Each structure stands twice: as C-alpha cells, then as structure tokens.
C-alpha cells in the first residue's frame, strides 16, 4: 500500500478540484460562513442553558429568566436558517462543480483517438462519467463542508467546556485520544475497502453493458448459463467489497457510542460528587456537560463517516482526472481550412499497425483522381477498412504521407478534413432518436426540407414516409426498430445530405433483402456520381462501374486496374477472386 493511497486527503488532488470552485466562490464563502455560525450557535445553547439553571432554576428565581428563553429561541431560529443555507447551497455547489467536470470530461473524450476506445471498456468509461461524478458531488454536499462543520463544532464545544469547568473538561478530553485513534484506523481501512468497491463497480458496469449489448449472440449460442455464472462471481466480489465496509462500520460505531456513554457516566459520577461535596461544579455545569458530550463525540463519529464519503469522492475524482489527463488525442496542429476539396487523393508508402510491430498496411501507394470511383477488394484482414480510418485521421500512420489535393492531411484542421469526407460504414450506428435527427445529427444548417429532397434524390423518401411519423419516427437504441437494410439506407442519406467532397463507402449487403439491396444500389449510383469515391466493394455491379480497382492482400496492393484489365491477367489475384466469389453473382 503506497503512502499516497493512505493519505487522509490528497492535497494535490483537492487543489485541482478547487479550480472548479472558482466560478462559484461566493457560494463557497456563504456556505463556510453558515458552517461557522452553526458551530457557534450549537455550542452557545448549552452555555445559555447552564446560565439559566444556575441563576434561575436552581435558585428558583423568576427574574431574568425570560431573556434566556428569548436568546435560546433566537439561537434555534438562527440555526434553522444556517442549516437551510448550508444544506441547500453545499449540494448546489457540488452539483454545479460536477456539471462542469462532466462537461469537460465528455468534451475531452470526444477528441480521443479510436485506438483509445479500442483498448477501453465502455462500462468503465460510463462509470467515470456518471457514477464517479456523483461521488465527486458528495465531496461538497456530504464530505468537505460536513467535516469542517464537525471539526469546528468540536473545537468551539471544547473551548466552552474548558471555560465553564476545566476539571470536568479533563475527564472528557482524556477519552478523546481513544476515539481519535479508532477513527484514524477506521478511516485507513475504509479507504482501502472503498477503492476495492469502486473497482468492482466498474467491472460490474462493464460486464452488464457488454452482455446487454450482445444479448442476441449469447442467446444464439446458448451461453446464458455461462454468463450467469460469470455475473454471479463478479457480483459476489462486489458484495464482499461492500461487506468489508459494513464490517468496519460495525466495529467502529459501537466503540464510538461506548466511549460517549462512558464519558457521560464519568461526568455524572464525578460532577455529581463535586456538586454535592464541595460545590466545585454546579447543577448547570453538569447539565451542560451532559448535553455537550454528544456534541463532541457525535461529530467525531460523523467525521469518520464523512471521511469515507470524502475518500470515495477523492478516489472517484482521481479516476476521472486520470481520464482527463489521458493524452490520446489526434494532434490537431493543421492550419489549413478547406471548405471544399477537388478530391485528388494519394497514399504514398503508407505503413500502419494497430499494435506496435504488427503492420496492417505495409507501404501501400495509390492515387485517386478527382471525381473517380475506386473500388477496393480483397480478403478479410487485407487492410481495406484501415484505409478508411487513416483517411479520416482516426489513427496516425507510422510512416508515409496521405494527401488530399496535394496537401498532407496533417496540415488540414481535423474539422475541415472530416467535414468534407462522408463515410457509410458496414456496421451502421443509429442513436435512440428520430430518423431526421439521425440523418442531420442535429446539424442546425440542415433543414427537414433539405433532408426530404435528398431522400427523393436517392430514392428512399417513400420508404421513410411508410414508417409511422415518417421522418420523426423514433428508431430506438442502435436503430433496433429498423432492419439492417433500412439502417443502411438511413446511413446513405446521412452521408448524401452533407454534400461531401469525398465519399467513402463500405457497401456490405450480405444481410439485406432484395428490395433494400436495389434501393442501396440506386443510392450508391446517385451519391457516387461526379464525386471522388472510395468503395470497399462487395458487389460485382459496383466493382464493374468503378474507374479503378485496387486489389489488396495481407496489407499490400497486389494488383490495380479496371475490371476488364484485371480479368486479362492469367492466375491474377483478382481473376481468381472473381471466379470464386463474383462469377456466381454474375450468373445469378
């Protein structure tokens, strides 16, 4: 266990959190003032009671009793107001700080390379952005201010005790080291337990998210029992982590209560003797001390509990800041802003691998002239989809140069590069929203009229209007309300409506019905016309229409030419591919 991990409060981490408080500094100050007033008024009440007992109740004197009652009432009213300010604005501050951190985190995650998401668990990232954020809010709402209030209350109460009767105070103070030591041990072990709990929560979120997303696969391959057992094991570890915290609480809180009860008993015994024998303690002293002991011990017990909340928040903050500190963004150092490309594309000796020392592309070079349609064919794993990823700078190449209109794409701003390249992927992703919003992605400059006209242009307007509510039909999560072919048609329209300079198309139709396939073919012909297009081709019709075909194998370009040119090569890779895969389609 490292020293850093065992710190009560990570000062560096707290300083970092405090930067998010600056916009709300006056609220922060108001809450702290409320805390100070609460501590003072809490300690003042026993003192007022002591004065009332000694001067009026014990002597049975009515004169001067009313002012004590009025002062006590004012103090209680003042406490109510301060409690209201404290509780509401402490929570308000926590939620606003968390809102700012969450926005910053999400904005940071939007800029990550695809490689980061390839290696990261979605469930863990969701935990960071949602659950961990609530723990950070608790730092302010239930942790930091509560601890400060309790510490200040203890200090003021101790001062009042010493002022009223130093002998009785010594008895109380003699018990404090025991509780303080128990609190420190408790806090140390609770922090470790909570870190374990947070780890298991992340594992649980990741497991559930992945299995719910892939439920169809689990059921298709009858893996329900296996995954059920895995879930039980993860849930058991999560339960054990929480039971550790329950165990530590069950030990500490009885010790704290017992210490308080013993102290009250000692005060009643010793103070009672002093009151009767030598009158060194008054009845008011005895009553006030019995009233103040819980005010001293209960905050100490609560501090231990709030330290748990504070530490859970600090652990969560540390995890969130680790994501914020991750430098996995594409370096957007380009300075060229291009509103429209002509469409000349060139790959020059491009090397790339998703994993170090394992190249997927091994020095490929090719050119696409403006307005051309280039089809890329090859076996699975040849590197076809990688070309799409590199053209959009989702990943950084290891060696070589990619240019558009003779400019290195690294010299272009990411926004201007990606805004002029539309991509239709084989695996279509739709959000749980309307068809219209899935097409425009809430782009303010694309109107519904433009979307409808674009749909008519590529021949899918009637299909959309046949759905309930037409363009305002909610497709639900990942577009489950639509077939795979319908989802692909929506993705075609999404690409076409942006009027891109360059189109990249993965036109897989293996699971599409014949009607949707014909619509997709028509849409493909429309959106590729007079536009630079790179097509990962799966259909012979698209390949034949291409101006050039690039044949890939094992990360290299093995052949290049038109359909007819490549067929003339005896024992050529494309000819063999055509005879094995495409000839059946042509005969059919």
């Amino acid at each position: 266990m490292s020293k850093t991990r065992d710190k009560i409060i990570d000062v560096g981490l707290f300083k970092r959190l405090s930067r998010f408080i600056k916009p709300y500094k006056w609220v922060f100050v108001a809450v702290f003032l409320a805390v100070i007033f609460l501590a003072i008024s809490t300690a003042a009440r026993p003192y007022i009671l002591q004065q009332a007992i000694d001067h009026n109740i014990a002597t049975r004197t009515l004169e001067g009793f009313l002012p004590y009652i009025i002062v006590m009432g004012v103090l209680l009213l003042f406490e109510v107001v301060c409690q209201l300010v404290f509780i509401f604005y402490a929570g308000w501050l926590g939620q606003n700080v968390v809102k700012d951190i969450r926005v910053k985190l999400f904005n940071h995650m939007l800029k990550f390379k695809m490689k980061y998401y390839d290696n990261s668990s979605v469930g863990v990232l969701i935990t960071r952005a949602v659950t961990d954020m609530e723990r950070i809010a608790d730092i302010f709402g239930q942790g930091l201010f509560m601890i400060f209030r309790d510490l200040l209350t203890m200090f003021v109460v101790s001062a009042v005790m010493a002022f009223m009767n130093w002998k009785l105070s010594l008895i109380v103070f003699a018990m404090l080291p025991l509780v303080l030591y128990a609190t420190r041990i408790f806090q140390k072990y609770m922090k470790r337990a909570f870190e374990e709990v947070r780890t298991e929560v992340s594992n649980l979120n990741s497991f559930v998210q992945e299995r719910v997303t892939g439920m169809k696969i689990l059921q298709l391959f009858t893996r329900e029992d296996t995954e059920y057992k895995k879930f039980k094991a993860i849930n058991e570890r999560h339960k054990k982590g929480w039971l550790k915290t329950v165990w530590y609480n069950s030990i500490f809180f009885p010790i704290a209560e017992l210490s308080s009860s013993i102290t009250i008993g000692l005060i009643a015994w010793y103070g009672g003797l002093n009151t009767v024998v030598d009158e060194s303690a008054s009845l008011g002293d005895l009553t006030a001390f019995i009233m103040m002991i819980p005010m001293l011990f209960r905050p100490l017990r609560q501090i231990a509990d709030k330290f748990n909340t504070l530490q859970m928040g600090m652990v969560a903050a540390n995890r969130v800041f680790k994501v914020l500190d991750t430098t996995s963004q594409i370096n957007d150092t380009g300075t060229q802003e291009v509103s429209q490309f002509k469409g000349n594309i060139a790959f020059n000796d491009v090397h790339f691998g998703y994993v170090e020392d394992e190249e997927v592309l091994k020095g490929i070079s090719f050119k696409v002239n403006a307005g051309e349609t280039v089809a890329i064919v090859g076996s699975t794993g040849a590197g076809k989809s990688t070309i799409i990823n590199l053209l959009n700078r989702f990943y950084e190449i290891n060696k070589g140069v990619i240019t558009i209109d003779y400019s290195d794409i690294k010299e272009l701003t990411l926004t201007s590069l990606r805004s002029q390249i539309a991509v239709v992927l084989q695996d279509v992703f739709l959000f749980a929203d309307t068809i219209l919003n899935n097409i425009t992605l809430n782009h303010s400059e694309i109107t519904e009229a433009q979307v409808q006209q674009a749909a008519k242009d590529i021949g899918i307007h009637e299909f959309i209007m046949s759905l309930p509510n037409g363009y305002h039909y909610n497709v639900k999560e990942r577009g489950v309300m639509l077939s795979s072919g319908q989802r692909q048609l929506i993705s075609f329209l999404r690409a076409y409506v942006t009027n891109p300079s360059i189109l990249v198309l993965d036109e897989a139709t293996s699971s599409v019905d014949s009607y949707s396939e014909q619509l997709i073919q028509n849409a493909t012909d429309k959106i590729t016309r007079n536009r630079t297009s790179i097509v990962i081709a799966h259909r012979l019709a698209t390949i034949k229409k291409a101006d050039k075909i690039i044949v890939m194998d094992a990360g290299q370009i093995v052949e290049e030419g038109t359909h007819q040119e490549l067929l003339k090569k005896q024992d050529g890779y494309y000819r063999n591919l055509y005879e094995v895969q495409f000839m059946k389609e042509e005969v059919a």
Side-chain angles (χ1 to χ4, degrees):
M1 187 67 63
S2 67
K3 291 182 180 179
T4 301
R5 186 171 171 172
D6 282 336
K7 287 180 182 177
I8 296 178
I9 297 178
D10 188 330
V11 177
L13 188 62
F14 184 75
K15 282 182 178 178
R16 191 168 181 183
L17 269 175
S18 66
R19 296 173 195 162
F20 291 91
I21 302 174
K22 286 183 179 179
Y24 314 104
K25 59 183 179 181
W26 293 115
V27 175
F28 186 82
V29 170
V31 173
F32 260 100
L33 288 175
V35 168
I36 293 170
F37 294 145
L38 275 173
I40 294 172
S41 62
T42 299
R45 283 189 286 111
Y47 178 75
I48 298 300
L49 182 61
Q50 181 255 349
Q51 293 292 309
I53 290 174
D54 287 345
H55 295 161
N56 296 96
I57 297 175
T59 60
R60 299 183 180 182
T61 303
L62 186 60
E63 185 180 354
F65 188 55
L66 182 60
Y68 290 123
I69 296 175
I70 293 172
V71 171
M72 187 69 77
V74 171
L75 281 175
L76 289 172
L77 182 62
F78 185 66
E79 275 193 59
V80 169
V81 174
C82 289
Q83 284 280 11
L84 175 64
V85 172
F86 169 66
I87 294 172
F88 177 79
Y89 283 104
W92 183 93
L93 179 64
Q95 289 303 321
N96 275 277
V97 168
V98 161
K99 176 204 68 176
D100 294 343
I101 297 176
R102 185 182 281 125
V103 168
K104 184 174 182 178
L105 176 67
F106 186 72
N107 186 51
H108 189 67
M109 289 167 58
L110 285 174
K111 298 180 177 66
F112 280 155
K113 299 176 184 176
M114 288 300 105
K115 186 175 182 179
Y116 178 85
Y117 293 105
D118 294 340
N119 300 323
S120 300
S121 164
V122 174
V124 169
L125 291 176
I126 291 172
T127 301
R128 300 293 172 268
V130 181
T131 309
D132 283 341
M133 288 297 177
E134 292 307 315
R135 300 289 78 78
I136 295 174
D138 290 342
I139 291 177
F140 302 96
Q142 300 178 31
L144 177 67
F145 291 120
M146 292 285 191
I147 291 172
F148 181 73
R149 183 194 67 179
D150 291 341
L151 286 173
L152 190 60
T153 299
M154 289 174 61
F155 175 78
V156 176
V157 167
S158 299
V160 172
M161 280 182 171
F163 173 76
M164 289 172 58
N165 191 310
W166 66 271
K167 290 183 180 180
L168 295 182
S169 299
L170 288 177
I171 297 174
V172 177
F173 297 157
M175 292 296 295
L176 283 179
L178 173 64
V179 183
L180 285 169
Y181 179 73
T183 301
R184 177 69 183 105
I185 298 298
F186 172 71
Q187 172 271 326
K188 182 178 178 180
Y189 282 94
M190 283 296 283
K191 181 176 182 182
R192 297 178 185 178
F194 278 130
E195 285 181 334
E196 184 178 332
V197 167
R198 297 308 307 149
T199 298
E200 294 306 329
V201 166
S202 293
N203 292 337
L204 201 60
N205 285 345
S206 298
F207 186 89
V208 172
Q209 189 274 333
E210 288 181 352
R211 270 58 184 185
V212 170
T213 303
M215 189 60 69
K216 186 175 182 180
I217 299 297
L218 297 183
Q219 293 182 355
L220 280 171
F221 289 89
T222 63
R223 305 303 296 169
E224 294 94 334
D225 288 343
T226 302
E227 297 305 316
Y228 169 70
K229 291 174 183 176
K230 286 183 180 179
F231 180 77
K232 280 186 69 176
I234 294 174
N235 209 30
E236 181 67 20
R237 294 199 301 270
H238 180 257
K239 181 200 74 175
K240 287 180 179 178
W242 272 113
L243 283 179
K244 282 185 181 180
T245 68
V246 174
W247 169 244
Y248 297 146
N249 277 309
S250 66
I251 294 175
F252 173 75
F253 287 115
I255 290 175
E257 284 294 335
L258 181 62
S259 300
S260 178
S261 299
I262 291 174
T263 305
I264 290 174
L266 289 173
I267 289 294
W269 168 72
Y270 183 75
L273 284 177
N274 286 351
T275 301
V276 174
V277 176
D278 57 9
E279 296 183 353
S280 59
S282 68
L283 184 61
D285 289 341
L286 194 61
T287 305
F289 267 75
I290 292 173
M291 185 177 177
M292 284 189 289
I293 286 170
M295 292 180 181
L296 190 63
F297 280 80
R298 190 175 296 118
L300 193 59
R301 187 189 71 185
Q302 290 174 344
I303 285 173
D305 192 31
K306 298 310 175 186
F307 259 124
N308 298 336
T309 301
L310 180 62
Q311 287 173 343
M312 284 185 71
M314 298 300 273
V315 169
N318 190 48
R319 293 173 185 268
V320 169
F321 284 135
K322 279 184 179 178
V323 179
L324 282 171
D325 291 338
T326 301
T327 53
S328 185
Q329 290 87 353
I330 293 289
N331 293 323
D332 190 8
T333 56
T335 56
Q336 295 185 31
E337 290 276 356
V338 181
S339 59
Q340 189 167 2
F341 294 133
K342 292 180 181 178
N344 296 290
I345 301 171
F347 276 58
N348 299 310
D349 191 30
V350 173
H351 294 255
F352 172 76
Y354 294 100
V355 180
E356 191 174 355
D357 298 327
E358 293 183 20
E359 285 194 340
V360 176
L361 299 183
K362 304 170 182 178
I364 67 167
S365 298
F366 66 89
K367 291 183 179 180
V368 182
N369 296 321
E372 278 189 340
T373 296
V374 173
I376 303 177
V377 299
S379 59
T380 301
K384 303 185 299 295
S385 296
T386 301
I387 290 175
I388 296 175
N389 291 329
L390 297 184
L391 185 62
N392 282 278
R393 287 196 71 197
F394 288 139
Y395 300 86
E396 295 282 29
I397 61 177
N398 299 339
K399 181 183 175 184
V401 178
I402 302 173
T403 64
I404 297 179
D405 293 344
Y406 313 106
S407 295
D408 189 332
I409 59 172
K410 292 182 179 180
E411 297 174 359
L412 306 172
T413 64
L414 282 177
T415 301
S416 65
L417 171 68
R418 292 175 180 171
S419 64
Q420 289 301 311
I421 302 175
V423 180
V424 179
L425 296 172
Q426 179 178 348
D427 182 19
V428 179
F429 187 94
L430 298 181
F431 296 94
D433 206 335
T434 64
I435 287 179
L436 178 64
N437 288 339
N438 269 290
I439 293 168
T440 65
L441 297 177
N442 297 302
H443 196 301
S444 59
E445 295 181 4
I446 302 176
T447 65
E448 183 173 351
Q450 288 175 310
V451 172
Q452 292 190 18
Q453 184 57 52
K456 292 174 182 177
D457 290 345
I458 63 175
I460 65 173
H461 175 71
E462 291 183 6
F463 141 66
I464 295 175
M465 293 305 295
S466 68
L467 298 171
N469 298 321
Y471 288 86
H472 298 278
Y473 178 63
N474 193 311
V475 300
K476 305 299 181 184
E477 187 175 0
R478 296 184 67 88
V480 294
M481 302 304 291
L482 302 177
S483 69
S484 59
Q486 290 171 331
R487 290 197 295 270
Q488 190 126 47
L489 289 169
I490 297 302
S491 70
F492 271 86
L493 184 52
R494 177 194 285 168
Y496 180 66
V497 78
T498 61
N499 191 28
S501 302
I502 298 170
L503 177 71
V504 181
L505 177 62
D506 189 344
E507 52 130 29
T509 55
S510 57
S511 59
V512 174
D513 60 87
S514 57
Y515 174 71
S516 295
E517 183 173 357
Q518 185 58 49
L519 288 176
I520 290 172
Q521 183 61 57
N522 295 337
T524 302
D525 294 342
K526 178 65 178 180
I527 66 176
T528 57
R529 192 175 302 154
N530 300 320
R531 180 180 282 116
T532 303
S533 304
I534 298 177
V535 183
I536 297 177
H538 299 264
R539 289 193 304 267
L540 182 60
T542 303
I543 296 171
K544 280 185 172 182
K545 292 176 182 177
D547 298 300
K548 182 166 56 179
I549 301 170
I550 294 173
V551 186
M552 295 190 66
D553 182 43
Q556 295 178 312
I557 296 176
V558 293
E559 291 177 348
E560 194 171 335
T562 65
H563 174 68
Q564 294 300 328
E565 289 171 351
L566 294 174
L567 283 181
K568 292 176 181 178
K569 294 184 179 182
Q570 295 296 327
D571 296 323
Y573 189 99
Y574 179 79
R575 182 184 176 100
N576 292 332
L577 185 68
Y578 170 77
E579 290 175 351
V580 172
Q581 181 176 341
F582 297 125
M583 189 177 289
K584 296 177 183 178
E585 183 181 338
E586 190 170 38
V587 171

